[in-house]
């Protein structure tokens, strides 16, 4: 009792859903007065006008429901089903079956099961399709309607083909060919096509070619050319398996325009796959890859896939792995995982026969490895970006810093003690006062001298000699040392150090080095020939012991290298001349 009540509630809810789907507008009384035959013919007449056809089908349903004519209700639902959105087909098929069962008529019930099987077939749910075809066969076998019996046989044959039971499908297709040859041209040609495809699947390529040629010949004989592109399509696939790749490419390209015009995305996708395989086989892999990508597009947009098309993803994964394109490799691994999920549901019988290079476990491992590698690469890339940003920031900072230092050097007076070059060898002139002071100098190595403070007169004398030293550019002498300088000033090291520290604010070595450096800077500013000297030549000109000592001293004195200073100086002079 509980089960019956549950079924009744389910049917009521289901009927409410269907009624909601059928609420398109009010049906005119004039249409309700028409008979079923009129409404059926009107639907066919206006098949290109979906809204009008649907109105006639609605009228048919309302009229039959009002009359409790369940056979007509089932037929009306079948008409509405094919006029409605594909997402509602299963619901309408169930409503049709409920109505059909009310008739207690085996043929009507069998026809309803056949329609439901066709709906599942269209949804690629081949297991449910086969189950419903077998139920349809069970009911129709009780009748005398041979045409319906063979329609069911054809449906079972097609479903068995998709499930991979090729020998059983071949037997059924042969029966259909014999029957439909005299009954229905299109069903006859469809049966021949199904037979040829099955021969290909079991490796009987010669028989497949013979059957495809028979289909083309019979179609032309019957003046029915609708199936000819499909026989050519089938033969193109067959030629691939016979290793006649150019012929296969030609046949598939010949068939494609008509198949695309028919909006038959399934056979269009199959053609792309085998075109890809042909180009792959003749080592034109880039062309092949483009066709395999189209297989994936069909899967994404139409959700269409079948076991043999799975290989597209294996080839795509291998190709991008060799190319080092891990992003594309990861994408197609994820796609293959989705494909296997669909195939495992819809083709679980046939999938066992497919040799898979990548199983799910391996795919997941590869996916994880790639994701880890991509994460590592992101970290590395980020680190590189940060390092580059730091370097760029440093270079910008250094640029502006060097520019500022250059401008400061240019403003600096480095000519204070400069005299003409022809006076460089001028001897220091010691006046009478200095001679007097010179005679009073205590020998350098006495303790008394080291403890003495310098008298003002003596300090003035040394300072005067220091100025002469500067004016005479004696500091340019190579390897000028404190001792050598003290001798030139006629005093000792300690006094020289004190005088330089007090009056020049520097240590004696730095003092000499700075004089040398300032001299080079002034020469670079005033004498163009110096700007063409090498660092080595400039160092020698200033009396440095080595080029390294010169460049180090220049950088310490100015903050920039002599090379950069000369570059900026030339640029500044050129800019000034151009104005």
């Amino acid at each position: 009792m509980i089960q019956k009540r549950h079924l009744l509630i389910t049917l009521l809810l289901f009927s409410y859903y269907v009624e909601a789907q059928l609420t398109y507008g009010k049906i005119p009384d004039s249409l309700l007065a028409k008979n079923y035959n009129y409404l059926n013919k009107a639907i066919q007449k206006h098949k290109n006008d979906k809204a009008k056809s649907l109105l006639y089908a609605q009228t048919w349903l309302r009229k039959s429901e009002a009359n409790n004519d369940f056979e007509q209700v089932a037929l009306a639902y079948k008409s509405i089903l094919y006029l409605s959105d594909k997402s509602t087909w299963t619901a309408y098929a169930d409503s049709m079956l409920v109505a059909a069962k009310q008739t207690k008529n085996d043929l009507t019930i069998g026809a309803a099961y056949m329609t439901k099987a066709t709906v599942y077939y269209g949804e690629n749910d081949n297991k449910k399709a086969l189950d419903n075809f077998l139920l349809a066969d069970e009911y129709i076998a009780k009748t005398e309607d041979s045409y319906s019996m063979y329609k069911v046989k054809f449906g079972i044959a097609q479903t068995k083909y998709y499930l991979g039971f090729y020998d059983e499908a071949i037997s059924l297709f042969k029966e259909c060919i014999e029957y439909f040859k005299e009954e229905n041209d299109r069903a006859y040609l469809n049966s021949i096509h199904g037979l040829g495809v099955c021969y290909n699947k079991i490796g009987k390529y010669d028989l497949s070619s013979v059957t495809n040629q028979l289909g083309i010949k019979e179609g032309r004989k019957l003046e029915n050319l609708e199936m000819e592109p499909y026989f050519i399509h089938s033969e193109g696939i067959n030629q691939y398996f016979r290793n006649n790749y150019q012929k296969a490419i030609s046949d598939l390209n010949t068939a494609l325009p008509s198949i695309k015009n028919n909006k038959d995305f399934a056979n269009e996708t199959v053609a792309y796959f085998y075109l890809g395989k042909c180009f792959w086989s003749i080592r034109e892999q880039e062309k092949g890859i483009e066709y395999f990508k189209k297989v994936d597009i069909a899967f994404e947009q139409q959700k269409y896939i079948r076991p043999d098309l799975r290989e597209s993803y294996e080839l795509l994964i291998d190709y991008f792995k060799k190319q080092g394109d891990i992003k594309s490799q990861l994408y197609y691994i994820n796609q293959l995982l989705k494909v296997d999920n669909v195939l495992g549901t819809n083709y679980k019988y046939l999938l066992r026969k497919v040799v898979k290079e990548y199983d799910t476990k391996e795919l997941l491992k590869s996916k994880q490895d790639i994701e880890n590698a991509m994460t590592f690469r992101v970290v590395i890339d980020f680190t590189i970006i940060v390092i580059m940003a730091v370097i760029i920031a440093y270079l910008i900072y250094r640029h502006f810093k060097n520019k500022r230092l250059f401008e400061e050097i240019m403003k600096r007076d480095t000519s204070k003690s400069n005299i003409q070059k022809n006076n460089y060898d001028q001897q220091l002139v010691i006046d009478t006062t200095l001679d007097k002071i010179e005679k009073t100098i205590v020998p350098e190595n006495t303790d008394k001298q080291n403890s003495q403070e310098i008298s003002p007169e003596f300090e003035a004398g040394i300072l005067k000699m220091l100025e002469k030293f500067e004016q005479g550019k004696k500091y340019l002498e190579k390897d000028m040392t404190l001792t050598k300088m003290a001798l030139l000033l006629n005093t000792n090291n300690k006094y020289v150090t004190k005088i330089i520290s007090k009056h020049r604010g520097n240590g004696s070595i730095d003092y000499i080095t700075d004089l040398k450096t300032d001299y080079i800077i002034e020469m670079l500013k005033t004498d163009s020939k110096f700007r063409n000297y090498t660092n080595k030549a400039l160092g020698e000109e200033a009396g440095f012991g080595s080029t390294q000592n010169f460049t180090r001293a220049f950088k310490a004195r100015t903050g920039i290298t002599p090379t950069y200073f000369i570059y900026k100086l030339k640029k500044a002079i050129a800019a000034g001349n151009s104005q």
Side-chain angles (χ1 to χ4, degrees):
M1 183 67 180
I2 294 174
Q3 289 181 341
K4 287 185 177 179
R5 183 178 297 175
H6 178 72
L7 177 61
L8 179 60
I9 292 170
T10 302
L11 289 174
L12 285 171
L13 289 172
F14 189 75
S15 296
Y16 174 79
Y17 167 77
V18 171
E19 287 297 318
Q21 295 293 315
L22 293 173
T23 306
Y24 296 102
K26 187 176 180 181
I27 298 172
D29 292 338
S30 58
L31 274 183
L32 287 170
K34 301 295 184 182
N35 60 42
Y36 300 130
N37 188 49
Y38 173 87
L39 294 171
N40 186 22
K41 286 183 177 179
I43 292 169
Q44 301 304 317
K45 180 179 178 181
H46 300 287
K47 62 182 179 180
N48 293 326
D49 187 339
K50 186 176 179 180
K52 189 173 285 188
S53 294
L54 200 51
L55 178 61
Y56 287 116
Q58 287 177 314
T59 306
W60 188 357
L61 179 63
R62 297 290 174 84
K63 184 179 178 69
S64 59
E65 285 179 332
N67 295 332
N68 288 323
D69 190 340
F70 292 109
E71 186 166 349
Q72 292 298 323
V73 170
L75 292 173
Y77 270 125
K78 183 176 180 179
S79 294
I80 292 170
L81 184 155
Y82 289 116
L83 291 170
S84 302
D85 186 81
K86 193 173 181 180
S87 62
T88 65
W89 282 10
T90 303
Y92 287 129
D94 286 337
S95 294
M96 177 187 63
L97 185 57
V98 170
K101 287 183 176 180
Q102 295 294 317
T103 67
K104 310 296 184 183
N105 183 290
D106 290 332
L107 185 59
T108 303
I109 297 171
Y113 272 118
M114 198 186 323
T115 301
K116 192 170 181 181
T118 304
V119 169
Y120 282 124
Y121 181 84
E123 293 174 349
N124 292 319
D125 193 338
N126 295 300
K127 177 62 171 60
K128 287 184 179 179
L130 182 58
D131 290 343
N132 280 273
F133 274 128
L134 292 173
L135 286 169
D137 185 56
E138 183 180 326
Y139 279 95
I140 292 172
K142 300 174 185 177
T143 73
E144 300 296 325
D145 191 329
S146 59
Y147 186 80
S148 294
M149 290 179 189
Y150 279 95
K151 279 179 67 178
V152 173
K153 280 183 188 289
F154 180 82
I156 293 172
Q158 282 282 80
T159 308
K160 283 185 175 289
Y161 158 71
Y162 277 110
L163 289 171
F165 305 128
Y166 303 121
D167 291 319
E168 295 174 36
I170 286 171
S171 179
L172 290 168
F173 277 131
K174 285 181 176 179
E175 289 183 42
C176 291
I177 289 170
E178 289 301 315
Y179 177 79
F180 286 123
K181 185 174 183 178
E182 304 299 331
E183 295 292 332
N184 185 304
D185 293 350
R186 181 59 188 268
Y188 170 58
L189 295 174
N190 281 340
S191 300
I192 295 174
H193 179 261
L195 181 64
V197 170
C198 284
Y199 278 140
N200 172 269
K201 289 296 184 182
I202 63 173
K204 294 186 177 181
Y205 305 126
D206 289 340
L207 274 177
S208 180
S209 289
V210 169
T211 306
N212 289 328
Q213 291 306 315
L214 173 65
I216 293 171
K217 178 183 174 183
E218 289 295 290
R220 291 176 181 177
K221 179 180 174 182
L222 296 168
E223 297 182 354
N224 186 332
L225 302 180
E226 291 178 89
M227 285 298 297
E228 185 162 320
Y230 291 91
F231 287 115
I232 296 172
H233 177 276
S234 175
E235 185 57 24
I237 295 170
N238 199 49
Q239 289 299 326
Y240 162 77
F241 284 102
R242 301 178 79 171
N243 300 324
N244 298 326
Y245 303 121
Q246 294 297 343
K247 179 67 167 61
I249 291 169
S250 176
D251 283 347
L252 290 168
N253 281 325
T254 299
L256 260 174
S258 296
I259 290 172
K260 289 169 72 174
N261 190 56
N262 292 340
K263 295 183 171 38
D264 184 353
F265 65 84
N267 279 299
E268 180 184 349
T269 304
V270 172
Y272 290 146
F273 171 70
Y274 282 101
L275 281 168
K277 288 279 285 177
C278 286
F279 283 113
W280 194 270
S281 298
I282 60 177
R283 301 185 183 282
E284 294 186 31
Q285 293 188 346
E286 286 74 18
K287 286 185 179 179
I289 287 297
E290 292 308 309
Y291 283 110
F292 296 144
K293 286 180 180 179
K294 291 184 178 184
V295 174
D296 178 59
I297 291 170
F299 176 66
E300 276 295 293
Q301 295 179 351
Q302 306 291 346
K303 306 304 176 189
Y304 178 75
I305 195 68
R306 69 184 207 189
D308 54 336
L309 306 188
R310 184 185 186 280
E311 189 184 357
S312 296
Y313 292 93
E314 294 183 345
L315 294 172
L316 284 163
I317 291 167
D318 280 342
Y319 176 81
F320 287 112
K321 183 178 181 180
K322 290 175 182 175
Q323 296 293 314
D325 185 346
I326 60 174
K327 185 176 179 181
S328 295
Q329 187 186 353
L330 180 60
Y331 170 79
Y332 288 111
I333 285 175
N334 284 324
Q335 289 298 93
L336 183 50
L337 287 168
K338 292 180 188 177
V339 164
D340 280 349
N341 185 53
V342 173
L343 292 177
T345 301
N346 299 336
Y347 294 92
K348 61 183 178 182
Y349 300 107
L350 185 55
L351 199 59
R352 294 171 189 161
K353 300 181 180 182
V354 177
V355 177
K356 298 192 292 183
E357 182 177 344
Y358 295 100
D359 59 22
T360 303
K361 184 177 179 181
E362 184 179 347
L363 282 172
L364 290 172
K365 184 180 181 301
S366 297
K367 177 184 176 181
Q368 187 62 52
D369 289 344
I370 291 171
E371 287 176 341
N372 291 341
M374 289 181 74
T375 301
F376 179 73
R377 178 174 287 185
V378 168
V379 171
I380 293 298
D381 289 346
F382 178 75
T383 304
I384 291 171
I385 290 170
V386 170
I387 292 171
M388 291 300 294
V390 170
I391 291 172
I392 291 169
Y394 170 73
L395 291 174
I396 293 171
Y397 164 77
R398 192 177 71 173
H399 168 74
F400 284 105
K401 178 187 175 184
N402 289 345
K403 182 179 178 183
R404 175 177 56 79
L405 290 171
F406 172 77
E407 290 170 354
E408 289 176 0
I409 296 168
M410 293 302 292
K411 291 175 184 177
R412 188 188 301 170
D413 185 6
T414 52
S415 62
K416 184 166 60 176
S417 58
N418 190 28
I419 61 174
Q420 296 298 321
K421 188 178 177 182
N422 55 10
N423 292 328
Y424 286 359
D425 297 326
Q426 173 184 333
Q427 294 295 320
L428 292 174
V429 179
I430 309 299
D431 59 19
T432 307
T433 304
L434 293 178
D435 286 337
K436 185 177 179 180
I437 293 171
E438 188 179 319
K439 292 174 183 178
T440 66
I441 294 177
V442 181
E444 187 175 341
N445 58 354
T446 67
D447 293 335
K448 183 179 179 181
Q449 177 192 344
N450 290 337
S451 62
Q452 286 180 337
E453 292 295 330
I454 307 174
S455 66
E457 296 81 4
F458 196 80
E459 182 178 335
I462 295 175
L463 187 59
K464 184 69 175 176
M465 294 178 71
L466 185 64
E467 291 172 355
K468 295 286 186 180
F469 172 81
E470 292 171 350
Q471 291 170 3
K473 294 186 173 49
K474 289 297 181 179
Y475 53 80
L476 294 177
E477 290 183 13
K478 194 168 185 178
D479 299 324
M480 175 61 67
T481 63
L482 176 61
T483 302
K484 192 173 180 180
M485 185 178 174
L487 289 173
L488 287 171
L489 299 181
N490 293 323
T491 186
N492 58 54
N493 292 0
K494 184 174 182 181
Y495 283 178
V496 171
T497 301
K498 284 187 175 183
I499 294 297
I500 291 173
S501 176
K502 180 177 179 180
H503 295 279
R504 296 295 184 258
N506 217 337
S508 55
I509 301 301
D510 289 339
Y511 164 71
I512 294 170
T513 301
D514 288 349
L515 284 174
K516 289 176 179 288
T517 304
D518 284 350
Y519 168 75
I520 291 298
I521 292 171
E522 184 60 27
M523 291 298 99
L524 288 171
K525 288 180 182 178
T526 58
D527 194 337
S528 61
K529 73 178 181 180
F530 276 78
R531 296 171 209 144
N532 296 316
Y533 281 14
T534 62
N535 286 345
K536 181 180 179 181
L538 290 171
E540 289 174 351
E541 186 73 23
F544 282 97
S546 67
T547 305
Q548 187 178 13
N549 288 343
F550 164 63
T551 55
R552 188 186 296 117
F554 195 98
K555 181 76 181 287
R557 178 69 170 157
T558 65
I560 58 178
T561 64
T563 303
Y564 178 80
F565 178 74
I566 294 169
Y567 162 75
K568 291 294 289 182
L569 186 60
K570 285 181 177 180
K571 194 172 180 180
I573 292 170
N577 292 337
S578 65
Q579 292 178 352

